[in-house]
Amino acid sequence: IARGIRCLLLTHISISIGPKSSRELATAVNANPEALYRVLRALASLGIFMETDPGIFSLTPLAEPLRSDVPGSLRGSAVLYGASWWWRACGELLHSVRTGQPAFDHVHGKALFSYLDSANDAAAIFNDHQSNMTQQDAAAVVAAYDFAQYATVIDVGGGHGVLGAAILKVCPRTTVVVFDQPSVIASAPPDLSAEGGHGRLAYVAGDFFESVPTGGHAYVLKDIVHDWGDQDATEILRKCRLAMARSPVIEAKLLVIEKVILPGNGAFPGKLTDITMLLVTGGRERTANEYQALLADAGFTLTRIVTTRSPASIIEAVPTGA
């Protein structure tokens, strides 16, 4: 249902607080009025929207996150999961299970990030989704870990700077450098720089497979390592290690923020995210022991894992021998 009417949900109802008729919405999105009404009625039965009068629908608390102008917005994620280029890959789970290879490559003939490089609309959707996901974890991460001890934080693969802005709100003496691909940096919303604290949030463009900026007291990688298989993930971590070695900063730390898989059969969001990684990127979520081994291969020693009230944990490491 969400796939079929995502344009309606996210472009019209989601930006309007007031009720709208299904006929108004059908006209706006060029849909069949009767068919659209039936879909909205079904969603209302699930608590997403409410039919307040015959044919008139309004928002409910479950629908509020579909708006772009509310705290905790999930609009970007809803658009992503409704995009045909994304869910076509997710529908090919059997291919990934049989081959161990990402279905995205099988469906599109190229890897996710190569696809995004050549599809600006898809890249914008993906970047909004990443910001949504980081926003869900950011408050929990900054509450669980003392970022104020670091004068400069390098947010490697930091996207539009959502985590960086959250860090600066609680760390008045810290500067954050968001490092990401040029196309990602160019699309970052300007208001985040203002939220980040009057010039303390800077953006630097580059490629973490080539090099990472020096001068950080902490290097943060949130939802980056899980995008890659062990070989590529190790290479990214080694580039961070090299940046530390070339820096005058003494005792810099690495902070990998990921959903660490726990043993046992308990429910955990990371186990489902792991399937998304299998399907779309070829990466994976990892256990604590797997992170320890990965970090060791890259020249780091895992010092501790800090859990948060969100599914994300902060894996702290230092250069081996430092």
Side-chain angles (χ1 to χ4, degrees):
I1 291 175
R3 292 173 187 166
I5 63 165
R6 70 182 179 86
C7 181
L8 162 70
L9 302 183
L10 303 171
T11 306
H12 295 278
I13 289 184
S14 63
I15 61 173
S16 174
I17 297 175
K20 285 184 176 289
S21 73
S22 57
R23 288 195 170 276
E24 284 181 273
L25 293 165
T27 299
V29 300
N30 193 28
N32 178 277
E34 183 182 358
L36 182 57
Y37 170 75
R38 290 164 64 184
V39 172
L40 290 169
R41 180 177 62 186
L43 288 170
S45 74
L46 300 174
I48 303 172
F49 311 124
M50 176 182 294
E51 189 172 10
T52 53
D53 288 300
I56 305 296
F57 292 87
S58 62
L59 294 172
T60 62
L62 278 178
E64 281 287 331
L66 294 174
R67 294 173 55 191
S68 60
D69 58 347
V70 296
S73 170
L74 292 173
R75 180 185 186 278
S77 298
V79 171
L80 177 75
Y81 281 96
S84 61
W85 57 269
W86 182 269
W87 57 256
R88 280 173 55 210
C90 293
E92 292 290 338
L93 175 60
L94 184 58
H95 172 82
S96 290
V97 172
R98 281 177 169 165
T99 66
Q101 300 301 311
F104 193 98
D105 301 34
H106 171 67
V107 169
H108 295 287
K110 59 178 68 175
L112 171 65
F113 294 110
S114 295
Y115 179 90
L116 296 177
D117 284 341
S118 59
N120 291 338
D121 289 346
I125 291 170
F126 182 80
N127 290 332
D128 284 347
H129 161 71
Q130 293 295 93
S131 292
N132 281 179
M133 292 299 93
T134 297
Q135 192 66 57
Q136 303 306 307
D137 295 328
V141 168
V142 299
Y145 191 87
D146 179 21
F147 287 92
Q149 64 185 297
Y150 305 117
T152 302
V153 173
I154 310 290
D155 190 359
V156 180
H160 286 166
V162 171
L163 179 61
I167 291 171
L168 296 186
K169 284 182 179 179
V170 297
C171 303
R173 294 181 176 83
T174 298
T175 297
V176 173
V177 176
V178 176
F179 178 70
D180 214 313
Q181 295 182 10
S183 59
V184 176
I185 296 298
S187 63
D191 58 330
L192 275 181
S193 294
E195 289 180 18
H198 305 293
R200 292 188 295 122
L201 182 65
Y203 292 90
V204 173
D207 183 344
F208 51 48
F209 282 112
E210 295 180 1
S211 65
V212 172
T214 61
H217 296 80
Y219 286 78
V220 176
L221 298 99
K222 183 185 186 301
D223 292 336
I224 299 300
V225 175
H226 77 165
D227 283 335
W228 306 94
D230 286 354
Q231 182 176 346
D232 286 333
T234 300
E235 186 60 27
I236 296 167
L237 294 172
R238 284 174 178 161
K239 288 298 187 290
C240 293
R241 178 70 179 84
L242 184 60
M244 292 178 179
R246 292 174 172 174
S247 172
V249 174
I250 300 174
E251 298 181 349
K253 291 182 180 177
L254 179 76
L255 306 175
V256 176
I257 303 174
E258 298 283 3
K259 301 177 181 69
V260 179
I261 300 291
L262 301 174
N265 298 314
F268 180 62
K271 295 178 181 179
L272 297 178
T273 308
D274 184 50
I275 303 305
T276 301
M277 297 300 102
L278 170 67
L279 285 166
V280 179
T281 69
R284 64 191 306 139
E285 303 298 340
R286 295 173 171 88
T287 65
N289 288 340
E290 288 171 333
Y291 274 114
Q292 185 173 31
L294 192 71
L295 288 163
D297 285 346
F300 288 96
T301 299
L302 192 157
T303 52
R304 59 176 175 150
I305 296 178
V306 180
T307 59
T308 76
R309 62 175 182 262
S310 82
S313 292
I314 303 150
I315 306 157
E316 183 188 79
V318 296
T320 301

